Amino acid sequence: MQPQEIERLFTRSGEYSFARWGRPLAPIVFGVEDETLSLIKGAFEALCTMSSHTMTDGDPELGANVMMFFFRDWEELLDVPDLGRMINGLETLVPRLQASGANQYRAFRFDKHGAIKASFVFLRMDAALSAQPAEELALSQAAQVMLAWGEAAFSDRSPLAQLEDGRVVLHPQIAALLRAAYDPVLPVCARDASHALRLAARI
């Protein structure tokens, strides 16, 4: 990948903004069956192994630091106890997501060093998401949680790729970028676009 491509993947509100996790991932999933739950956790485990990051059963500060919600209608979020305390402006966010026809939304929280410390993933299972095989959905969502991507990072491309035998895997370019992003020599967050040059050199 060229530095310009990488810069675009981490551009948010017109500015370069990169962040990776600064602590092990402790995911919890709501609204799915046990079989799907194991697929989602397996996807996180695979990406953590590939990027040399780690997972844990519980975060000492937060308990679970990756919270994934699967549901049918955005209004269901308003009935989740204490969710409004975790997602600022939930009452105004839900109508906006309904009006736009969105089927997914991600929010991140960061620590004092700028590293990701928590992520909230909301998936409204409309026809498009429901038609996606569970393995593909799990891998795609896990990839989009591993880094704080820019707002248009995957608007015209998927983080996944299909092999000749029909199997779907993490796109090789995204996989290489994840490995580079978790190089311990690099900072956990960056606001200067020169950081994209350092990632490109490692890829």
Side-chain angles (χ1 to χ4, degrees):
M1 298 183 76
Q2 297 302 310
Q4 295 82 1
E5 295 177 81
I6 297 172
E7 185 176 342
R8 177 181 175 275
L9 290 173
F10 297 109
T11 296
R12 191 177 304 110
S13 300
E15 297 182 355
Y16 188 84
S17 181
F18 166 91
R20 72 184 188 209
W21 283 85
R23 61 183 66 193
L25 275 66
I28 187 170
V29 187
F30 301 95
V32 299
E33 298 177 352
D34 289 344
E35 182 180 354
T36 304
L37 174 61
S38 64
L39 287 173
I40 294 171
K41 290 197 172 182
F44 277 111
E45 289 171 354
L47 295 188
C48 283
T49 299
M50 185 198 67
S51 60
S52 299
H53 196 51
T54 54
M55 287 182 64
T56 181
D57 291 332
D59 182 279
E61 179 186 353
L62 304 170
N65 56 29
V66 180
M67 304 183 74
M68 300 185 70
F69 298 84
F70 289 75
F71 50 90
R72 293 291 179 185
D73 191 284
W74 286 112
E75 285 193 357
E76 294 178 41
L77 296 183
L78 300 176
D79 297 326
V80 178
D82 298 326
L83 186 59
R85 293 166 54 188
M86 293 183 282
I87 304 297
N88 294 330
L90 183 66
E91 294 78 7
T92 56
L93 174 63
V94 166
R96 290 206 313 270
L97 293 170
Q98 287 177 314
S100 66
N103 62 9
Q104 52 190 295
Y105 179 79
R106 272 168 293 279
F108 291 91
R109 297 291 178 266
F110 303 91
D111 64 21
K112 63 181 181 180
H113 304 293
I116 303 171
K117 76 171 184 178
S119 176
F120 303 87
V121 182
F122 303 100
L123 299 171
R124 179 177 67 85
M125 298 304 292
D126 62 359
L129 287 183
S130 297
Q132 211 174 344
E135 296 89 343
E136 294 180 22
L137 183 61
L139 186 58
S140 174
Q141 294 301 322
Q144 294 180 75
V145 167
M146 289 297 294
L147 298 170
W149 302 94
E151 54 207 2
F154 301 112
S155 60
D156 57 359
R157 66 177 292 174
S158 169
L160 309 182
Q162 189 170 32
L163 302 179
E164 291 184 0
D165 62 5
R167 287 185 298 126
V168 174
V169 297
L170 189 66
H171 195 289
Q173 288 185 331
I174 300 301
L177 181 55
L178 274 179
R179 284 192 291 268
Y182 278 89
D183 185 328
V185 173
L186 294 181
V188 294
C189 75
R191 298 293 181 264
D192 193 306
S194 63
H195 178 261
L197 295 171
R198 301 179 70 184
L199 288 173
R202 281 160 175 76
I203 292 175

